[in-house]
């Protein structure tokens, strides 16, 4: 039975191959990757370093080119559409990097950075200030954040700023690439609770890239396991974690320490998430 518009995945990846490098240094990093992401779901992509997780994320948003296969977002193949038509689609697919400090311009205030995300051509802070303040409030940061610079914040605060920058353009899908790997345990838990709350409150679809299976178990509905750029197992998180079929998945699960990574029902340490004001 074919998909209806309501049931079709918001993101469908089919037969994706990705080669990186050039000439004799070219290497295949992803091989025949297939993935469906349902609207409103959270899908975890797990695997050890070098498995191709971040390459997958960066290919979806266009930082790497697909060698073969398709990446269909909301009915449009991102691998074939012209660049001009791609820009509005990519704004709805927001990427949050592992290291937010390197992605924040040290010469710009946080408000200027978020204004540029809203309107890259005419980044007018005064015009967009209310929406920027709402986006920062949604990640539990105060209005004083607007006029400060990246170096004035902790790692966890900068990660929340990166999340706010993604939220401020009304994304449909957020791709979070190992965003808690450099944070201490308590800050990691706070950021993860925030993501869970944003998904519940704003209905955002999430692709969560991580090597931490305990986190994926708490946050994600479905999981895909990558090994050397190939999918070795995929399915509902509860099923894969309770009855893994691939030896590699079993090895990953055996390395997970006991106990959940965080409690999605625990309160945030600061203000509750607010719904963003309309533009």
């Amino acid at each position: 039975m074919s998909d209806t518009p309501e049931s079709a995945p918001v993101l469908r990846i089919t037969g994706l191959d990705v080669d990186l490098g050039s000439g004799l240094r070219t290497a295949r990093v992803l091989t025949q990757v297939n993935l469906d992401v349902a609207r409103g779901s959270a899908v975890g992509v797990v695997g050890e370093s070098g498995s191709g997780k971040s390459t997958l994320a960066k290919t979806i948003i266009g930082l790497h080119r697909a060698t073969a296969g398709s990446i269909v977002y909301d009915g449009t193949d991102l691998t074939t559409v012209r660049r001009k038509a791609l820009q509005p689609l990519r704004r709805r697919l927001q990427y949050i990097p592992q290291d937010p400090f390197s992605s924040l311009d040290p010469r710009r205030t946080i408000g200027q950075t978020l204004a540029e995300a809203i309107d890259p051509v005419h980044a007018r802070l005064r015009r967009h200030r209310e929406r920027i303040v709402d986006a920062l409030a949604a990640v539990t940061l105060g209005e004083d954040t607007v006029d400060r610079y990246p170096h004035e914040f902790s790692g966890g605060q900068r990660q929340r700023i990166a999340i706010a920058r993604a939220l401020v353009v009304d994304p449909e899908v957020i791709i979070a690439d190992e965003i808690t790997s450099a944070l201490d345990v308590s800050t990691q838990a706070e950021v993860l609770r925030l993501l869970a709350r944003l998904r519940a409150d704003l209905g955002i679809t999430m692709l969560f890239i991580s090597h931490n299976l305990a986190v994926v178990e708490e946050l994600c509905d479905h999981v895909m396991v990558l090994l050397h750029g190939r999918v070795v197992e995929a399915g509902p998180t509860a099923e894969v974690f309770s009855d893994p079929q691939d030896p590699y998945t079993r090895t990953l699960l055996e390395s997970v320490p006991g106990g959940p990574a965080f409690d999605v029902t625990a309160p945030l340490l600061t203000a509750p998430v607010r719904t963003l004001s309309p533009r």
Side-chain angles (χ1 to χ4, degrees):
M1 184 172 68
S2 61
D3 293 320
T4 65
E6 294 78 16
S7 66
V10 67
L11 183 66
R12 170 167 281 172
I13 298 169
T14 306
L16 183 66
D17 292 344
V18 177
D19 295 341
L20 298 182
S22 60
L24 296 176
R25 295 178 179 271
T26 300
R28 176 139 300 177
V29 181
L30 294 175
T31 304
Q32 290 296 294
V33 172
N34 299 302
L35 175 65
D36 281 359
V37 180
R39 201 177 304 273
S41 68
V43 177
V45 180
V46 302
E48 295 172 313
S49 296
S51 62
K53 305 185 302 296
S54 290
T55 297
L56 175 63
K58 291 175 181 177
T59 304
I60 294 170
I61 63 167
L63 293 180
H64 297 319
R65 292 178 62 88
T67 304
S70 62
I71 302 171
V72 177
Y73 168 63
D74 203 18
T76 300
D77 188 350
L78 303 181
T79 67
T80 61
V81 70
R82 292 184 177 181
R83 179 170 297 186
K84 189 173 182 179
L86 197 58
Q87 293 306 316
L89 290 172
R90 283 196 174 142
R91 285 176 65 81
R92 294 160 59 194
L93 282 164
Q94 285 294 307
Y95 174 76
I96 304 173
Q98 178 178 352
D99 178 13
F101 189 65
S102 64
S103 69
L104 296 171
D105 189 335
R107 299 164 298 179
R108 290 180 176 268
T109 66
I110 302 307
Q112 290 171 329
T113 294
L114 268 64
E116 186 176 30
I118 296 171
D119 188 346
V121 178
H122 304 291
R124 296 170 182 164
L125 175 55
R126 183 178 299 179
R127 178 181 178 185
H128 301 296
R129 189 178 183 95
E130 182 181 356
R131 181 161 187 82
I132 289 167
V133 169
D134 280 352
L136 291 168
V139 299
T140 67
L141 290 170
E143 185 171 355
D144 64 313
T145 304
V146 173
D147 301 312
R148 296 167 64 189
Y149 291 86
H151 72 270
E152 299 180 59
F153 297 92
S154 68
Q157 288 172 325
R158 286 196 291 264
Q159 196 56 273
R160 283 188 276 157
I161 290 167
I163 295 170
R165 181 174 55 185
L167 289 176
V168 82
V169 298
D170 288 334
E172 185 172 21
V173 179
I174 283 180
I175 302 170
D177 187 3
E178 295 275 16
I179 66 171
T180 61
S181 62
L183 304 178
D184 62 65
V185 174
S186 61
T187 306
Q188 175 181 238
E190 181 75 354
V191 170
L192 291 168
R193 283 198 295 272
L194 174 61
L195 286 176
R197 202 67 54 81
L198 287 170
R199 181 190 165 206
D201 291 353
L202 303 179
I204 293 172
T205 304
M206 190 176 301
L207 190 65
F208 191 80
I209 311 296
S210 182
H211 66 276
N212 189 328
L213 273 71
V215 167
V216 169
E217 184 176 23
E218 292 290 329
L219 190 65
C220 299
D221 312 307
H222 287 71
V223 62
M224 180 176 77
V225 183
L226 283 176
L227 173 62
H228 303 317
R230 294 180 180 271
V231 180
V232 296
E233 191 154 0
T237 306
E239 292 182 12
V240 172
F241 278 51
S242 64
D243 187 22
Q245 300 300 302
D246 189 87
Y248 177 66
T249 307
R250 289 196 290 272
T251 299
L252 288 178
L253 288 169
E254 287 168 0
S255 69
V256 176
F262 72 110
D263 179 4
V264 296
T265 65
L268 294 172
L269 299 183
T270 50
V273 171
R274 286 169 44 184
T275 301
L276 301 187
S277 64
R279 296 190 186 187

